Every structure is written in C-alpha cells, then in structure tokens.
Amino acid sequence: MKGLYAKMFARPDLWQRSPEPFWDDAHISKGMLEAHLNPTLDAASRSKDTIRRSVDWIASILPQTSKILDLGCGPGLYCRQFSDLGFDVTGVDFSQRSIGYAKEHDPRTRYIYQNYLEIDYTDAFDVIIMIYCDYAALTAAERQTLLSKVRSALRPNGIFLFDVFTDVHSKGISEKNVWSVHENGGFWSADPHIAFEAAYLYENGTVSLSRNLIVTESGMKEYFIWDTSYNLQRLTEEVSAAGFEVKAAYDDVCGRAYTGNSETLCVILADRRS
Ligand SMILES: C[S@@+](CC[C@H](N)C(=O)[O-])C[C@H]1O[C@@H](n2cnc3c(N)ncnc32)[C@H](O)[C@@H]1O
C-alpha cells in the first residue's frame, strides 16, 4: 500500500474507482440521508421546492398510465410524489439507508436495493428517470452499460429523462489539494480524522475528479467522485452511439427552455428503433 505522501500527490488514473463504496457506507450514508432530507439545500437531493417543480413538469408531459423507473432514487423524494399523483413507480438505489427510509415513508412505490448497472428489465417501463446529474458521475464504460440496460428496460415509445452538469458549470472547477482537521469526526468518518481533498481535471477539463483521502488513527481511506461535463452536441454523440436519439433538451429538469447557457442540461431520449 502506498504511503500518505505518495497517495496525496499521485494523480489518479482516469476513471480509477475508489475501493470504498461510499453511498452504502454505514456512517457516510447517515450524513447523506440528512443531506437528502434537508428541504432548503441543493445537496444530495435538490431543494424541496425544486423537486416539486420537477415532478410537476415531468408529470405534465407523461400519460397518466405511465410506468416510471427512478434510477438512483435515494430516499424516494421524487418517487413518492409520482406515486401520490397516481403513477406506477419503481425506485432503485444501492444505499440501504435511503431505500430503508423510502420504504418506511412511501408504501405505494416499489423500492429495490440494487446497483442500477445490474438491473435486468425487458420492455418494462414507459419512463426512466435519473435525476441530479448521476449519469455523468459514471465512468465512460459504465455509461455504456447503463444506456444498454435502459434501452432494454424501456417499452416501445418509452423515454429516458436525465440531467447532467454542463461546461458552464465545470468552468468554475480548478485543480486543488487542501486539507482539514476534524477532531470530532465529520461527513467521511465518525472518528477524528484529517481530510485531504483534491480536485483533478482530465480530458481538456471536461472530466473532473474530487478525491477525498481520509486519514484516521486506524488507517487511510480514499473516496473518488467523478463528473463529466457536457454540451448538447457531445451528449447527443454519446447517446446516439448507444442507439438513442435526443427527442428534446431543456436547461434544467424543471423543463426550462433550452438555451445552452445553463449549468445543467436535461434531455429526453428515445430508442431510435421506436
Ligand atoms: C446525487 S444522489 C440523487 C438521488 C435522487 N435522484 C435525488 O435527486 O433525490 C445519487 C443517488 O444515486 C445512488 N447511486 C449511486 N450509484 C448507484 C448505483 N450504481 N446503483 C444504484 N444507486 C446508485 C446513490 O445511493 C444516491 O442515492
């Protein structure tokens, strides 16, 4: 195992994955759930008001009989509202804590604890959603796997709706390497720790990595969060290669008209065969 100094200054390889599956970590998922449930923050989930506007907009463009699959549903903040509106909803997430919370608070939605890269549905849903820029947190290979799984899972004429951060957003990210001390524990560990937080840019600045190296008395753990930024052209090229066409584009997942100047981009895809 590399020592601290080497780890701190070694630039991780593009798409290198951290060994720690942080979404499902017992301590981290606790703080994450609190962040999801904070109604005013755009943190793990968007604010309550934004979620309401997203649900209202998405519901307004769907037939009432639509079967919806929410990938990375978290604690079910969207699923619950879609179910309340009468849609048939399934939510998939691989945070046990979030799925546990969702099941407890929303008996109408079907919640499944699963890695969405391993779903295995055929012709099962009219609408698949993936909200809060999770698509772009996947590696290039994982995105291909996801698109192929989504394509199989959609019924004829089904749609895949998701959002990503754009180049406008990533322009504000620069490389850094900073550290902080957390004597009473914090987000990444309940134990006293030092957090070394670095940001790295790859692929002409279109891919960023936030690397959190957490050092406690008992050892070191690393957590990697990747993000790819898009513009409409690059996203269209990527999904076209996977058999989709872009039916519509918006500036956000509340249906704001597309300008290309927004920090987010929301697209609606359909299988080119349908
Ligand atoms: C940024 S949060 C967004 C949650 C939700 N879509 C929302 O906006 O309220 C990303 C969610 O995706 C889940 N997630 C990440 N990777 C996943 C995977 N491979 N399979 C299933 N869920 C995953 C996380 O547990 C987390 O709940």
Side-chain angles (χ1 to χ4, degrees):
M1 185 170 153
K2 274 187 185 162
L4 173 60
Y5 187 88
K7 267 198 185 296
M8 264 179 68
F9 292 107
R11 170 180 285 264
D13 293 335
L14 180 64
W15 303 136
Q16 191 179 321
R17 276 297 190 197
S18 45
E20 318 294 341
F22 67 89
W23 291 110
D24 214 12
D25 174 273
H27 171 76
I28 296 169
S29 67
K30 202 162 155 227
M32 198 72 84
L33 181 58
E34 277 167 25
H36 278 298
L37 299 179
N38 187 319
T40 55
L41 276 189
D42 280 346
S45 295
R46 292 199 171 98
S47 71
K48 192 173 171 190
D49 171 60
T50 307
I51 293 174
R52 176 82 256 167
R53 288 190 295 117
S54 282
V55 170
D56 287 348
W57 171 63
I58 296 169
S60 76
I61 59 171
L62 302 183
Q64 185 62 48
T65 51
S66 300
K67 269 188 87 175
I68 302 176
L69 172 65
D70 183 355
L71 297 177
C73 63
L77 303 178
Y78 294 81
C79 291
R80 185 175 175 180
Q81 294 193 33
F82 283 121
S83 283
D84 287 348
L85 290 171
F87 292 99
D88 177 312
V89 188
T90 301
V92 170
D93 201 286
F94 76 170
S95 160
Q96 303 238 36
R97 196 180 293 276
S98 281
I99 286 291
Y101 177 95
K103 282 184 172 166
E104 212 178 296
H105 292 81
D106 173 16
R108 268 199 285 257
T109 300
R110 217 170 295 106
Y111 285 106
I112 302 169
Y113 169 67
Q114 191 182 17
N115 182 344
Y116 52 50
L117 298 173
E118 293 171 5
I119 55 170
D120 208 6
Y121 297 104
T122 308
D123 285 351
F125 298 97
D126 304 293
V127 183
I128 299 182
I129 60 173
M130 188 178 222
I131 293 179
Y132 214 179
C133 306
D134 227 23
Y135 175 84
L138 300 174
T139 67
E142 288 169 341
R143 296 197 298 270
Q144 291 310 306
T145 301
L146 180 86
L147 289 171
S148 145
K149 298 273 182 187
V150 165
R151 204 156 166 240
S152 306
L154 283 175
R155 287 174 168 168
N157 301 315
I159 57 168
F160 180 32
L161 184 156
F162 65 94
D163 58 345
V164 291
F165 287 118
T166 64
D167 298 341
V168 176
H169 171 85
S170 69
K171 252 198 293 190
I173 301 173
S174 50
E175 297 208 336
K176 66 173 179 183
N177 207 334
V178 297
W179 59 280
S180 53
V181 177
H182 303 265
E183 283 174 71
N184 300 313
F187 180 81
W188 293 107
S189 171
D191 298 327
H193 62 273
I194 306 174
F196 294 90
E197 190 194 347
Y200 296 100
L201 295 172
Y202 302 77
E203 309 279 291
N204 296 320
T206 58
V207 177
S208 63
L209 168 67
S210 164
R211 189 222 55 199
N212 296 275
L213 177 59
I214 307 303
V215 182
T216 61
E217 190 59 28
S218 53
M220 276 187 273
K221 286 187 174 181
E222 273 186 307
Y223 303 99
F224 291 176
I225 303 173
W226 289 97
D227 187 60
T228 298
S229 72
Y230 286 92
N231 58 27
L232 184 54
Q233 187 191 335
R234 288 204 307 279
L235 187 56
T236 302
E237 282 165 10
E238 180 168 303
V239 300
S240 300
F244 282 100
E245 72 170 300
V246 177
K247 298 285 268 189
Y250 302 86
D251 269 0
D252 65 20
V253 82
C254 300
R256 192 152 47 97
Y258 174 74
T259 64
N261 300 323
S262 169
E263 293 206 16
T264 59
L265 167 65
C266 167
V267 287
I268 296 182
L269 308 186
D271 190 327
R272 272 211 305 270
R273 293 169 304 189
S274 23

